[in-house]
């Protein structure tokens, strides 16, 4: 095992912040993957709880599989993931969050796609939302996103993605600007599509995101402004129709809706997606 870890097929990058209570479950879901040729690179982004200590326990248990980094202060996900990328040795980069779960076949399915579809550099999957009551919602995207799909938001779920490292290197990883925070993935895909890289979404729910059904409370207005800014970049950089600028204000307009109204439509959309899958 120690020999092949010098050149792992997959480097899993995980930015962590105050997730001590859920981190073990997230790491265990990686350990339970059917594909074992991976390394896990974790970076604690200045947590105030025991996140680093929990991660250190796993690093000591699996020193040939895990690397642990630490920011002295909270720097944001884009900076933290770039630190992980610098340490990555795999030809494919997989994402994972410290409070989520991925199904055992996730890595194998994404790896097979990248190995067999040479024109694809980004691969993600459908994603379920869960809380203490179980899985309550689901999100999916077009199987082969086109440039026009960027008008509606990010065409890939970030946390379940696996990407060719060469694509990350070609665009210099995540952009480290405050104007990109919370939409660093959306901006990343725009840069990759502008550079000629393309992606695919596997229409299977292979990743579960922990969500308390009140995500709108965490999406502050400044992050909605960031999303509007990145939508404008998508229209400009990807050569989309001028009418696409009408979409740039949508995140802000949604943000000023009364919480009850937004909550109703947000949950209705995700629960509807989950119901459609259950009936298939």
């Amino acid at each position: 095992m120690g020999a092949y870890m010098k050149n792992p097929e997959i480097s899993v990058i995980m930015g962590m912040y105050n997730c001590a209570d859920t981190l073990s479950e997230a790491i265990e879901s990686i350990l339970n993957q059917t594909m074992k040729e991976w390394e896990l690179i974790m970076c604690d982004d200045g947590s105030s709880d025991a996140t680093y200590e929990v991660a250190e326990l796993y690093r000591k248990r699996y020193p040939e599989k895990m690397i642990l980094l630490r920011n002295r202060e909270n720097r944001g996900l884009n900076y933290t993931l770039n630190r992980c990328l610098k340490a990555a040795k795999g030809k494919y980069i997989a994402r994972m969050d410290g409070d989520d779960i991925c199904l055992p076949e996730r890595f194998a399915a994404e790896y097979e796609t990248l190995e067999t579809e040479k024109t694809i550099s980004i691969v993600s999957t459908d994603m379920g939302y869960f809380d203490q009551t179980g899985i309550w919602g689901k999100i999916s995207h077009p199987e082969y996103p086109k440039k026009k799909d960027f008008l509606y938001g990010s065409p890939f779920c970030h946390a379940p993605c696996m990407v060719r490292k060469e694509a990350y290197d070609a665009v210099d990883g995540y952009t480290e600007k405050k104007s990109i925070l919370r939409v660093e993935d959306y901006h990343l895909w725009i840069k990759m599509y502008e550079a000629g890289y393309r992606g695919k979404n596997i229409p299977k729910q292979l990743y579960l995101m922990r969500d308390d059904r009140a995500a709108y409370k965490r999406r502050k207005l400044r992050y909605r402004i960031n999303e509007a800014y990145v939508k404008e970049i998508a229209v400009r950089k990807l050569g989309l129709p001028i009418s696409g600028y009408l979409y740039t204000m949508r995140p802000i307009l949604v943000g000023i809706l009364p919480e009850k109204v937004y909550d109703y439509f947000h949950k209705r959309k995700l629960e509807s997606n989950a119901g459609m899958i259950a009936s298939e």
Side-chain angles (χ1 to χ4, degrees):
M1 182 177 292
Y4 80 69
M5 283 309 299
K6 292 179 181 178
N7 295 288
E9 292 291 285
I10 301 166
S11 293
V12 187
I13 59 174
M14 179 190 288
M16 308 175 299
Y17 181 69
N18 289 348
C19 56
D21 293 340
T22 60
L23 184 57
S24 290
E25 192 172 12
I27 294 176
E28 290 293 339
S29 75
I30 296 176
L31 291 168
N32 289 333
Q33 291 295 299
T34 59
M35 184 173 182
K36 304 298 184 182
E37 292 81 7
W38 51 261
E39 64 175 354
L40 172 59
I41 304 169
M42 301 174 283
C43 184
D44 177 54
D45 190 20
S47 295
S48 58
D49 66 1
T51 294
Y52 184 85
E53 287 73 20
V54 173
E56 177 67 2
L57 289 174
Y58 277 93
R59 188 202 64 79
K60 288 180 177 178
R61 195 180 307 170
Y62 302 97
E64 76 286 356
K65 300 279 282 182
M66 300 183 186
I67 296 172
L68 179 58
L69 308 172
R70 191 178 200 177
N71 297 337
R72 293 185 177 181
E73 59 185 8
N74 185 256
R75 298 292 300 271
L77 187 61
N78 41 14
Y79 173 89
T80 301
L81 292 180
N82 278 341
R83 281 202 69 189
C84 293
L85 283 171
K86 290 177 182 178
K89 300 187 293 292
K91 64 177 179 178
Y92 301 134
I93 306 296
R95 279 280 290 111
M96 183 72 195
D97 281 336
D99 51 0
D100 297 340
I101 300 170
C102 54
L103 275 64
E105 63 271 27
R106 176 202 161 190
F107 287 176
E110 294 175 336
Y111 179 84
E112 181 181 5
T113 296
L114 292 171
E115 286 287 291
T116 58
E117 299 190 42
K118 300 302 183 181
T119 60
I120 294 301
S121 297
I122 308 160
V123 60
S124 190
T125 77
D126 290 354
M127 184 171 71
Y129 292 86
F130 77 101
D131 58 17
Q132 67 276 9
T133 66
I135 300 173
W136 62 269
K138 180 179 182 294
I139 187 170
S140 59
H141 295 288
E143 186 172 8
Y144 291 96
K146 296 179 173 57
K147 289 183 178 180
K148 65 180 180 62
D149 293 312
F150 282 82
L151 287 174
Y152 313 110
S154 174
F156 303 99
C157 292
H158 185 207
C161 77
M162 186 181 292
V163 181
R164 297 185 193 276
K165 189 173 187 298
E166 65 185 64
Y168 269 109
D169 292 341
V171 299
D172 296 323
Y174 296 89
T175 299
E176 295 178 20
K177 292 181 179 179
K178 289 184 178 181
S179 58
I180 305 295
L181 281 174
R182 296 295 180 93
V183 283
E184 53 275 315
D185 56 320
Y186 189 11
H187 187 254
L188 177 73
W189 312 138
I190 292 169
K191 293 196 297 181
M192 288 184 178
Y193 265 61
E194 183 187 16
Y197 296 99
R198 295 297 180 265
K200 176 181 180 177
N201 288 301
I202 299 173
K204 292 182 180 180
Q205 185 176 286
L206 299 179
Y207 193 97
L208 301 177
M209 173 176 281
R210 197 179 302 269
D211 192 301
D212 60 8
R213 307 197 194 200
Y216 61 87
K217 293 180 180 178
R218 296 189 297 273
R219 181 51 65 94
K220 298 178 181 178
L221 180 60
R222 64 189 173 111
Y223 298 136
R224 294 191 179 280
I225 293 173
N226 286 359
E227 184 180 353
Y229 169 64
V230 172
K231 278 184 181 290
E232 185 275 330
I233 292 175
V235 174
R236 181 162 39 88
K237 294 290 188 178
L238 300 182
L240 298 174
I242 294 178
S243 60
Y245 284 107
L246 295 174
Y247 288 87
T248 62
M249 294 304 295
R250 185 177 181 276
I252 298 174
L253 294 175
V254 170
I256 62 177
L257 286 174
E259 290 184 356
K260 289 184 179 179
V261 175
Y262 175 79
D263 191 34
Y264 171 78
F265 286 107
H266 175 67
K267 291 192 289 186
R268 183 178 178 183
K269 176 183 177 182
L270 298 179
E271 290 170 351
S272 174
N273 285 340
M276 288 171 56
I277 296 301
S279 65
E280 291 179 353

